[in-house]
Amino acid sequence: MNKRMPAHKKPGTPHHCSSSRRIIVVVVPPVDELDLVGPLQVFNSVNRLAGRKIYAIDVVTNAERLIIEGEGGVLTFMAKDHFNKVGGACDSVLLVCGLGTRLVRDPALSAWLNKMAAEVRRLGAVCVGVFLLAEAGLLNDRRATTHWRFGREMAERYPGVRVQHDPLWVKDGNIYTSAGISAGIDLALAWVEEDCGAGLAHEAARELVLFLRRPGGQPQVSVSLASQASEMMSIRELQIWIAEHLQTKLSVEELADRMSMSVRNFERVFTREVGTTPSQYVLQARVEAARRQLERTEKGLKQVASAAGFGNVDLMRRAFVRLLGITPRHYREIADHSTGEARPTVATRVL
C-alpha cells in the first residue's frame, strides 16, 4: 500500500530542477492538434515563468515528411527531424498521434520506443497514443488508460494491458498514459510537479486559466460538468446554488421549495434534466468537493467533512465508500502519490 509522505516533505517539493530537461515529442500524423499543443504549451509556460529553459523540446515524427498535418485539416506543424535520427541525452519521451493513426503498425517506431523506454526516465503517451505503446509491447501486464471512448477497444485489442477506464492519467513504472485531449495537459503538469514542485505546476496551471489542476486519480467524470448539461436555466441555477451552499441541509423538500415546486414534481423534473435524483446529486457534489479538499489541502478529515457539508467524518467515509469504493484517507494517499487508482462511479464523461 502507498504511504503518505512524511510531514517534512510535502508532495510536490522541488527537486533537481536546476538543469535543463530534454523532452522528445514523437508525433505520428495526422495528429490531434490539442493532444500535441496542450503539453507543449505547459512546458513553454514553465520556461517562461521560471525565466530560464527548464525544458528543451524536440518534436520529431515517424513520417517521411517533416510537415505534420493536424486531423482538423487546418493546422500544420513542422517536426525537427525523424525519430530515428534523435541523438544525445534525453530525459523523457512523449508520444502523440491521432484517432486514425492509433492503429498504425510501424515496427521501426516500436523498436525505438522499446529502446528509449529502457533509457529515459519517463515515457508517456497522450490519449490514443497508448495504442502505439501497446503495439510496441510496452504495456503488457501494466496499468494504462486512454480516452473513455476507446477503453473497451484497447482492452479487446491488447488483452495483456490492464486498462483503467476512469483515471485522467496513470503511471506504471516509468510509463505514463493519459485520457483524451485536455488530460494531456494534466499529464504534462504532473511531470512539471515531479521535476520542479507543486508551486511551479500550479502557477503554470493558473497561467493557462485552468479551473482546476487535476491529479491522475481524478476520474474522467465530473458532477460539476454534469450540472451544466441541463437545458433548463432554473435547474442550472439551482445546481450552481447547491455547489455554493453544500454546508446547508439541502433536503429534497428545501430544494423543491426553492424551485417553487411540489416535491414530487421537483424530483421528476430534476431527475429528467440531470439524470440523477436530487439526493444523489447533492451526495455526488459533496464527495467531489471533499475530493478537491483532500487533493489540494492538508486539512484534517474532520475539517474536510465539515466544509463539504457531511457533518461528520463517518458520513463522509460512508459516502466515499458508496460512490468511490475507497475511504477518504485512502483517496488522499492515492492523490498524494498520483497512482491513478481511484475509480469513482460515472456521472458524466469529459474529454
Side-chain angles (χ1 to χ4, degrees):
M1 176 182 292
N2 291 322
K3 297 181 179 180
R4 296 288 308 281
M5 288 187 175
H8 67 275
K9 184 174 178 58
K10 295 181 180 180
T13 301
H15 47 257
H16 309 307
C17 201
S18 58
S19 59
S20 177
R21 298 175 179 274
R22 185 186 183 202
I23 297 179
I24 303 297
V25 179
V26 184
V27 181
V28 179
V31 65
D32 185 287
E33 293 87 342
L34 187 55
D35 282 355
L36 174 59
V37 174
L40 292 182
Q41 185 60 50
V42 170
F43 300 130
N44 289 334
S45 294
V46 169
N47 286 344
R48 181 169 59 255
L49 290 168
R52 57 191 175 88
K53 198 169 187 178
I54 293 176
Y55 294 104
I57 310 296
D58 288 335
V59 178
V60 300
T61 182
N62 72 324
E64 294 183 5
R65 299 172 66 244
L66 297 184
I67 297 178
I68 300 170
E69 296 180 353
E71 282 190 322
V74 177
L75 299 178
T76 57
F77 309 89
M78 178 65 73
K80 181 177 181 180
D81 215 331
H82 195 273
F83 74 86
N84 62 12
K85 294 183 180 179
V86 171
C90 172
D91 179 77
S92 305
V93 171
L94 186 64
L95 181 62
V96 186
C97 66
L99 296 183
T101 49
R102 74 185 187 280
L103 304 180
V104 162
R105 302 291 184 267
D106 187 335
L109 177 60
S110 292
W112 185 84
L113 290 171
N114 272 278
K115 172 179 176 292
M116 296 304 289
E119 297 177 359
V120 300
R121 186 163 61 97
R122 296 178 298 216
L123 175 61
V126 179
C127 195
V128 291
V130 66
F131 281 78
L132 301 181
L133 293 185
E135 181 63 22
L138 288 167
L139 298 180
N140 292 332
D141 201 31
R142 287 183 185 266
R143 292 182 301 110
T145 192
T146 188
H147 190 288
W148 61 269
R149 289 185 183 276
F150 298 95
R152 180 175 297 179
E153 178 186 345
M154 181 76 193
E156 292 175 352
R157 285 183 175 274
Y158 302 100
V161 180
R162 294 157 58 193
V163 179
Q164 309 287 290
H165 295 275
D166 288 336
L168 288 174
W169 57 269
V170 168
K171 173 186 177 183
D172 193 321
N174 72 332
I175 305 292
Y176 296 69
T177 54
S178 76
I181 319 299
S182 62
I185 295 175
D186 295 299
L187 178 59
L189 287 167
W191 283 13
V192 172
E193 181 168 348
E194 286 183 356
D195 299 339
C196 304
L200 188 54
H202 280 284
E203 192 175 352
R206 287 195 299 270
E207 182 174 82
L208 295 172
V209 199
L210 298 179
F211 175 69
L212 177 68
R213 239 204 87 221
R214 306 176 295 182
Q218 182 162 323
Q220 299 177 50
V221 304
S222 172
V223 70
S224 298
L225 188 63
S227 72
Q228 301 170 16
S230 172
E231 295 183 0
M232 285 184 63
M233 178 63 72
S234 59
I235 293 294
R236 291 204 302 269
E237 290 176 349
L238 177 65
Q239 291 165 324
I240 293 171
W241 185 87
I242 288 172
E244 295 173 346
H245 296 81
L246 291 176
Q247 293 180 339
T248 60
K249 188 176 180 182
L250 298 180
S251 68
V252 176
E253 291 77 12
E254 288 169 325
L255 294 176
D257 184 64
R258 184 173 182 81
M259 292 289 291
S260 300
M261 293 181 179
S262 68
V263 171
R264 182 177 179 181
N265 188 47
F266 169 67
E267 287 190 304
R268 179 182 62 81
V269 171
F270 190 97
T271 303
R272 181 194 68 206
E273 291 295 313
V274 180
T276 188
T277 66
S279 298
Q280 181 73 3
Y281 179 84
V282 169
L283 187 66
Q284 290 172 339
R286 284 177 169 152
V287 168
E288 185 169 283
R291 285 207 333 258
R292 289 197 295 268
Q293 293 284 316
L294 293 170
E295 293 162 1
R296 304 176 69 184
T297 75
E298 292 298 318
K299 291 180 180 178
L301 295 183
K302 185 175 180 180
Q303 291 176 292
V304 172
S306 177
F310 283 108
N312 60 63
V313 174
D314 186 57
L315 287 175
M316 181 173 71
R317 183 189 63 80
R318 281 188 281 173
F320 266 63
V321 171
R322 174 182 170 186
L323 295 185
L324 311 184
I326 57 175
T327 65
R329 191 179 303 278
H330 188 195
Y331 185 90
R332 172 169 267 170
E333 292 172 354
I334 292 173
D336 280 354
H337 294 278
S338 298
T339 61
E341 293 177 352
R343 298 178 58 82
T345 55
V346 173
T348 186
R349 300 289 190 176
V350 297
L351 293 178

